Amino acid sequence: MNNWVGGLITLISGSAIWEGVKFFYPSISREIKTYREAYKNLYESIDPILKAADELYGKLISIANEDFSTFTNRGKSNATDVDLNRKYIYYLFAQFLAQLEYIRMKSQYSSISKIRKGRELLKFIETYESRTFRLVDRSIQRMIGESLILNSTGSYKVMSLSQFYINIHDASSKSNIWIKKIEDKLLATNDKEVRQSVLVFGVIVAALINHFDPKSRIVRSRKIYKNKLSRDSKNKISKVLFTSYLPFIKNKEIYY
């Protein structure tokens, strides 16, 4: 008798659990699918972002070490070489902003915000666009990014360097209006405050690389140009950037 009652209870309990599973399964399945899509979108986006960031930061190290002479020592080097180098630097800034803007254009913000790393990437984007750390006005940074994104048969891609050179020499190209804003910023780096703002922007680029590629599997590790940062810039990085904007960054002291 006891065995029969026990079996009946087990049967009823098992049926109840199964009914519960059937009831909640669609919601659980949707959640799993949402997280899978979020991870897929994040990791498809982060690889080109890191590569663009690496190119930009590598160049920033170079111009920091030469004290921005590419932009401040006018007329002291081969004019053609200087002009090409400057345009290449404009492209690296624009390419990086384009990779960030690409996420917005593909409407992936809501998707990647479902996971922690995705939310952290969005915090980086907010930081680059913030009044405190952006290089030029937020809307202009976005338009610079958009100007390098090409749409061909419904497929988006970032403009190549060769196409950028063609466009920048085309007087009718509307993108030149926005690229000129970056040019004006860099040509003003004989001013200490402007130069420091560019260097601090570069530190945020380096922080993104280290945070999303800590083992240097995608891009190589690079040192921070701490010796080029002023005391005010170091304070801004330690007391504002890593306190209010990017508090989740580890090993903060390596940046200042």
Side-chain angles (χ1 to χ4, degrees):
M1 181 69 177
N2 288 339
N3 289 338
W4 181 85
V5 172
L8 180 61
I9 291 172
T10 300
L11 178 63
I12 293 172
S13 299
S15 298
I17 291 170
W18 173 241
E19 288 301 319
V21 169
K22 286 198 296 182
F23 180 80
F24 288 109
Y25 178 75
S27 296
I28 295 171
S29 180
R30 281 195 298 272
E31 283 297 307
I32 292 172
K33 184 179 179 181
T34 296
Y35 281 102
R36 282 178 177 171
E37 287 179 350
Y39 277 105
K40 179 176 180 289
N41 289 334
L42 174 64
Y43 289 107
E44 283 181 350
S45 301
I46 202 66
D47 185 85
I49 288 173
L50 285 172
K51 288 174 180 175
D54 178 61
E55 284 191 277
L56 174 57
Y57 185 64
K59 195 62 179 177
L60 282 172
I61 291 175
S62 175
I63 63 177
N65 288 335
E66 65 177 26
D67 294 321
F68 289 80
S69 62
T70 296
F71 298 98
T72 58
N73 294 344
R74 302 174 192 182
K76 293 186 178 181
S77 303
N78 183 286
T80 302
D81 290 345
V82 169
D83 183 63
L84 286 172
N85 192 30
R86 286 178 183 174
K87 287 181 170 63
Y88 177 53
I89 295 168
Y90 306 153
Y91 174 77
L92 295 180
F93 273 103
Q95 176 188 230
F96 177 67
L97 295 172
Q99 292 295 353
L100 299 182
E101 191 62 25
Y102 189 39
I103 300 176
R104 192 194 316 275
M105 292 182 72
K106 292 200 311 185
S107 301
Q108 292 182 341
Y109 274 25
S110 58
S111 173
I112 66 174
S113 66
K114 303 291 184 184
I115 56 177
R116 179 175 59 84
K117 283 291 186 182
R119 291 191 293 273
E120 289 170 353
L121 177 57
L122 295 182
K123 288 296 293 181
F124 269 101
I125 295 174
E126 289 174 13
T127 304
Y128 293 123
E129 295 185 342
S130 69
R131 185 183 297 274
T132 306
F133 296 106
R134 66 194 182 207
L135 292 179
V136 293
D137 188 81
R138 177 190 303 172
S139 61
I140 293 173
Q141 286 192 172
R142 289 184 181 181
M143 284 185 280
I144 290 169
E146 287 179 7
S147 71
L148 258 70
I149 297 175
L150 306 174
N151 182 4
S152 176
T153 63
S155 177
Y156 292 94
K157 66 176 183 178
V158 174
M159 186 184 296
S160 67
L161 177 59
S162 59
Q163 185 61 52
F164 179 80
Y165 276 129
I166 293 171
N167 278 24
I168 209 168
H169 289 101
D170 181 358
S172 66
S173 175
K174 294 180 180 179
S175 63
N176 288 343
I177 298 171
W178 316 123
I179 299 300
K180 182 72 165 56
K181 301 295 183 179
I182 288 290
E183 179 181 32
D184 291 343
K185 184 78 174 184
L186 293 170
L187 288 175
T189 48
N190 56 322
D191 181 291
K192 182 181 177 181
E193 287 189 14
V194 175
R195 186 164 62 251
Q196 287 296 313
S197 70
V198 175
L199 291 174
V200 171
F201 188 91
V203 168
I204 307 172
V205 175
L208 180 144
I209 294 170
N210 293 336
H211 184 68
F212 288 99
D213 190 24
K215 296 184 179 179
S216 302
R217 290 174 175 168
I218 300 174
V219 296
R220 60 176 170 163
S221 177
R222 300 178 188 271
K223 291 184 178 180
I224 308 300
Y225 40 61
K226 293 192 288 185
N227 62 315
K228 297 296 181 179
L229 296 170
S230 67
R231 181 178 298 178
D232 287 344
S233 290
K234 290 180 179 181
N235 284 335
K236 189 176 183 180
I237 292 167
S238 64
K239 297 178 181 178
V240 181
L241 177 63
F242 292 138
T243 301
S244 301
Y245 289 84
L246 305 173
F248 51 85
I249 294 296
K250 298 178 181 179
N251 303 319
K252 299 176 176 65
E253 65 282 355
I254 70 170
Y255 299 100
Y256 55 85

